[in-house]
Amino acid sequence: MSAAAAAQVEPEEDETEGGPAFEFDDAFQRKVLALLMREPNFALKARDLIKPGYFTEAANSVLAQISLTYIEQYRGAPGVSLFPALLKDAIAKKKIRSDMIDEVKDAFRAILKTDLSGPDYVLDKVIEFAKHQAIQNAMVDAIGALGKHDFSTIEKLLSSAFRVGAIVDRGEYDFWEESANRTQIREDFNAGKIVANGITTGLPSLDAYLHHNGWGRKELSLIMGAAKEGKSALLIQFGMAASLAGYNVIHFTLENSAQITADRIDANVTETAIRKLKDDPQTVQAKLDKARAKAGHFKIREYATGTLRPSEIRRVLEDYRQDGIIFDMIVVDYADIMMPERWTDSNVDNSKSIYVDLRSISFDYDAAVLTATQTNRDGAKAHTAKATDVAEDFNRIRIADIVLGINTTEQERIDGKARLHFVAARNSEDGFSLEVNQERDKMKFISKVIGRA
């Protein structure tokens, strides 16, 4: 997430000192904290099991308190790019003692070097520890109830303790209980204390039309267009814009080689016509070095057409996670030429399987997934392609959370213009088009959003 998205750190009580401590060694405690801070699924499952006071190092207790406060309010891990803003906010509000600031910063840097492997095993150990503490505390409390012959209370205490960890996988969202939290988030948003959690397109005037003020996490976003209309260029532009904003991006390419993809990105980032990249390589490199300073990861994985399965995407994401890299955005160029997990004689069933799996990946990895699809012949000829103009399988429109169509007449192409049509949207307005300027020679499918067409 963007470092601008600072959240309040308002612990209800100080849990950073006293009480039981983890029985794990320092390295394992750092792994627990690293997963809590950086791994979305672990954070949601473990949030009710971990207390700041469990960490033996005071600085780690502070980091845990900040993380847990954020997780409780925003139902997700704060992540590496956001955490510096959370620390700065906590320091400004004097929630971290002045004599501990350097120690906390050092602890945060140590967390950045901690690998994120084995989250399920770590979670099991945390559950085991939390259950042990709950049973121990329940037994102490039960002694008082025993003296009063209050067997009902004893039963409740022990029963509750033994259930610790049993509901860790719940997906419950209590609508009424969470209403005040939703209101607070909206007020914080209006006050500028937080920003929307969407991943920017790199174009604020386009972000404003998207429900999350950018691409939504746990959502599948789809670019639709005719052959050679610019889908790959647009996927590259949106992916690199996210990386330049500090997000981690991985780009799976099945149509172009990694080298061609990289050349296109070079042109886009350095605003150099792709045919002129060789004219002054050192100037291009200098511009790339400057852009890289604040950028998140941008990894490119190259596959032959028709060979990439959703399970391979998961395997790659897990490999990077063990190296401590969690991706905010996953770009696939493009889903129509992927391979389903199980091949059938039905093109529609194969297509549906791929798109369902991609959306599942977005949810499981708390990431925005962006890909593209072809229009059919009617759509390619139309002035503005509509949802019914998608090639082969209408399930693609149903499954995607938002579908943006690329439309360009011959005259518009000559004039360096195009239209981005909101074909379908699950959570926002659709059925309208935005007129855009282009610089195709620099691989900028959209250089400026002019306004509604």
Side-chain angles (χ1 to χ4, degrees):
M1 296 180 73
S2 167
Q8 289 185 319
V9 180
E10 296 285 354
E12 294 183 1
E13 55 185 89
D14 184 7
E15 298 185 87
T16 61
E17 297 181 2
F22 274 137
E23 57 196 19
F24 315 130
D25 62 21
D26 290 344
F28 198 86
Q29 288 190 37
R30 282 195 296 274
K31 183 182 282 287
V32 172
L33 185 53
L35 289 166
L36 185 70
M37 290 169 54
R38 301 168 60 189
E39 215 291 321
N41 290 326
F42 182 92
L44 290 174
K45 292 177 179 178
R47 71 186 189 276
D48 294 334
L49 303 172
I50 295 175
K51 297 183 183 299
Y54 287 174
F55 295 89
T56 54
E57 296 292 333
N60 287 341
S61 295
V62 172
L63 295 177
Q65 179 67 74
I66 294 172
S67 299
L68 289 167
T69 301
Y70 180 91
I71 294 164
E72 186 62 31
Q73 186 167 3
Y74 299 105
R75 301 180 69 82
V80 172
S81 57
L82 173 59
F83 215 88
L86 298 177
L87 276 177
K88 183 178 179 180
D89 191 56
I91 292 169
K93 294 180 177 176
K94 302 187 184 301
K95 295 187 179 296
I96 301 176
R97 296 201 317 262
S98 59
D99 62 325
M100 283 192 63
I101 292 175
D102 289 341
E103 185 180 347
V104 171
K105 289 182 177 179
D106 288 342
F108 175 63
R109 284 189 281 269
I111 294 300
L112 296 182
K113 300 176 182 178
T114 303
D115 75 89
L116 305 178
S117 59
D120 293 336
Y121 172 78
V122 175
L123 182 62
D124 285 344
K125 299 302 289 184
V126 168
I127 291 172
E128 183 181 308
F129 174 83
K131 181 172 288 187
H132 178 274
Q133 293 301 324
I135 293 172
Q136 180 175 282
N137 293 338
M139 291 177 68
V140 171
D141 293 339
I143 293 174
L146 181 63
K148 300 176 182 178
H149 300 283
D150 187 354
F151 302 117
S152 175
T153 296
I154 294 173
E155 182 179 5
K156 290 178 182 178
L157 287 169
L158 294 177
S159 176
S160 177
F162 277 101
R163 286 201 307 272
V164 167
I167 57 174
V168 72
D169 288 321
R170 72 187 187 277
E172 174 188 287
Y173 182 94
D174 192 314
F175 176 81
W176 297 116
E177 288 295 324
E178 293 286 346
S179 63
N181 198 28
R182 293 194 299 274
T183 298
Q184 184 62 54
I185 291 173
R186 290 161 187 158
E187 289 182 350
D188 287 349
F189 179 82
N190 291 335
K193 295 179 180 178
I194 62 170
V195 298
N197 65 353
I199 297 172
T200 182
T201 64
L203 300 159
S205 49
L206 175 56
D207 288 343
Y209 285 97
L210 299 173
H211 177 67
H212 301 282
N213 202 38
W215 308 115
R217 293 179 185 271
K218 298 185 178 181
E219 291 186 359
L220 175 62
S221 300
L222 186 60
I223 305 299
M224 187 177 82
K228 313 303 181 187
E229 192 68 56
K231 297 185 296 298
S232 292
L234 197 50
L235 292 177
I236 287 171
Q237 178 174 342
F238 287 146
M240 180 46 61
S243 175
L244 292 174
Y247 296 97
N248 291 336
V249 180
I250 185 166
H251 184 106
F252 294 88
T253 175
L254 292 84
E255 189 170 52
N256 301 300
S257 69
Q259 183 61 54
I260 290 296
T261 300
D263 285 345
R264 289 181 167 196
I265 296 171
D266 286 343
N268 180 287
V269 173
T270 65
E271 298 189 340
T272 304
I274 194 166
R275 68 181 184 280
K276 295 184 177 181
L277 288 174
K278 295 190 289 292
D279 292 358
D280 189 356
Q282 292 305 316
T283 297
V284 170
Q285 183 63 54
K287 290 180 179 180
L288 291 174
D289 289 340
K290 182 178 180 180
R292 182 180 183 179
K294 295 183 180 180
H297 290 285
F298 193 99
K299 306 292 187 182
I300 303 172
R301 305 285 294 214
E302 174 187 331
Y303 294 84
T305 299
T307 63
L308 178 63
R309 288 186 170 94
S311 58
E312 169 66 5
I313 294 178
R314 289 180 180 273
R315 185 195 66 75
V316 170
L317 297 178
E318 288 298 322
D319 284 348
Y320 278 113
R321 182 164 68 172
Q322 293 197 28
D323 293 335
I325 301 174
I326 293 177
F327 292 102
D328 302 288
M329 189 172 188
I330 302 163
V331 181
V332 181
D333 187 12
Y334 56 101
D336 291 8
I337 51 177
M338 285 179 63
M339 178 181 284
E341 290 301 323
R342 294 177 181 81
W343 185 266
T344 73
D345 293 332
S346 169
N347 288 336
V348 170
D349 288 345
N350 291 334
S351 171
K352 181 179 179 181
S353 170
I354 290 169
Y355 276 79
V356 167
D357 284 344
L358 284 177
R359 193 168 190 277
S360 176
I361 287 171
S362 75
F363 190 89
D364 291 343
Y365 289 90
D366 193 38
V369 174
L370 180 63
T371 189
T373 189
Q374 293 266 24
T375 57
N376 56 26
R377 291 182 180 180
D378 290 339
K381 297 175 183 177
H383 179 268
T384 302
K386 298 181 172 56
T388 51
D389 294 320
V390 68
E392 293 186 339
D393 179 21
F394 191 75
N395 286 306
R396 298 169 187 173
I397 304 297
R398 293 192 182 101
I399 294 167
D401 293 276
I402 186 165
V403 182
L404 301 182
I406 298 171
N407 301 275
T408 314
T409 64
E410 189 59 36
Q411 187 59 51
E412 285 172 331
R413 185 183 289 271
I414 293 171
D415 294 339
K417 298 183 183 299
R419 282 165 289 113
L420 198 63
H421 185 65
F422 281 62
V423 176
R426 198 183 307 279
N427 300 309
S428 59
E429 180 186 2
D430 57 20
F432 66 95
S433 297
L434 296 177
E435 186 178 12
V436 302
N437 283 338
Q438 299 183 302
E439 294 180 74
R440 284 182 176 248
D441 61 330
K442 299 177 182 177
M443 292 295 110
K444 290 183 178 293
F445 185 88
I446 302 176
S447 58
K448 180 182 179 182
V449 176
I450 302 172
R452 291 210 182 203

